[in-house]
Amino acid sequence: MTERSGTVAISERSLAAIRPYRPADHGAGRRLWAEYAQEHRALYGSSEAGGPDAGAAAEPGADPAGPEAGAEFEEYLARLDLSGMWVADRADEGVVGLVGLLLDGRTGRVEPLVVTARRRGQGIGRMLLQHVAREARARGMTALTGSPESRNTAAIRCLHAAGYDALSAVQLTIDLTRRPYDWQDGLEFQNLRFRY
């Protein structure tokens, strides 16, 4: 890994560099946000459970998660607690990943973390997480959190591999639209059974 003028080169396998987000990345950011929303819809079948509102099915040439996904990216960029955003950039493809850092006092929250589907599993997400951790340390922050959806095992594994190994909070939800027998695979925590 080499650093040069705010850009961090990452693994040869991914042939990408991590650098600060800039206005010219706007279109790529919207596309990645749409993938983020579409992934959430695929995991949950709708926009439930607090994830990005995926909207209706996309028409050819439209954002794959609907126009709401692009609008949500605009709202994200306007957040007052947004402390920084970085992208993974490939010379042959352009921006293939995005991570943001939200401030919460002396701690931070990583949101979103998204790598385009064709580049997942190549270490790009982990490198984005490591970069944002270095940035947070340089800013004197004391902790970072990430809050992936419980069904997003790939995101959970990526966060864990990047050092997010302390379980700091649990959020429980009651699905008021589900029938009692609609249980999916679950997990056991504190000697209780939960679906996810």
Side-chain angles (χ1 to χ4, degrees), residues 8-89:
V8 178
I10 62 176
S11 76
E12 289 297 316
R13 181 174 173 209
S14 62
L15 297 173
I18 297 186
R19 62 169 174 76
Y21 173 88
R22 51 187 179 226
D25 300 325
H26 186 261
R30 283 182 68 110
R31 281 190 304 278
L32 284 167
W33 194 275
E35 277 195 54
Y36 178 66
Q38 188 174 25
E39 177 86 9
H40 187 271
R41 185 173 61 205
L43 287 171
Y44 288 95
S46 72
S47 60
E48 68 186 53
D53 186 2
E59 296 178 16
D63 280 343
E68 294 85 1
E72 288 177 356
F73 183 64
E74 303 302 330
E75 291 172 14
Y76 176 80
L77 291 174
R79 290 183 67 140
L80 295 177
D81 60 348
L82 180 59
S83 177
M85 211 161 47
W86 298 268
V87 298
D89 190 4

Side-chain angles (χ1 to χ4, degrees), residues 12-174:
E12 289 297 316
R13 181 174 173 209
S14 62
L15 297 173
I18 297 186
R19 62 169 174 76
Y21 173 88
R22 51 187 179 226
D25 300 325
H26 186 261
R30 283 182 68 110
R31 281 190 304 278
L32 284 167
W33 194 275
E35 277 195 54
Y36 178 66
Q38 188 174 25
E39 177 86 9
H40 187 271
R41 185 173 61 205
L43 287 171
Y44 288 95
S46 72
S47 60
E48 68 186 53
D53 186 2
E59 296 178 16
D63 280 343
E68 294 85 1
E72 288 177 356
F73 183 64
E74 303 302 330
E75 291 172 14
Y76 176 80
L77 291 174
R79 290 183 67 140
L80 295 177
D81 60 348
L82 180 59
S83 177
M85 211 161 47
W86 298 268
V87 298
D89 190 4
R90 285 179 52 99
D92 59 340
E93 290 181 62
V95 174
V96 296
L98 172 72
V99 67
L101 174 61
L102 302 176
L103 291 178
D104 186 13
R106 297 210 13 103
T107 66
R109 187 162 36 107
V110 175
E111 184 184 312
L113 170 64
V114 59
V115 174
T116 192
R118 69 185 173 278
R119 290 292 168 197
R120 292 182 190 151
Q122 298 179 358
I124 294 171
R126 184 172 43 243
M127 296 306 291
L128 283 164
L129 288 169
Q130 290 169 344
H131 184 81
V132 78
R134 282 192 298 275
E135 291 288 334
R137 277 188 198 96
R139 296 168 191 211
M141 299 173 88
T142 59
L144 283 179
T145 60
S147 300
E149 297 295 334
S150 60
R151 290 185 191 174
N152 194 343
T153 56
I156 293 168
R157 290 181 187 284
C158 181
L159 283 159
H160 190 269
Y164 292 72
D165 58 0
L167 188 61
S168 59
V170 177
Q171 181 176 343
L172 301 177
T173 303
I174 183 170

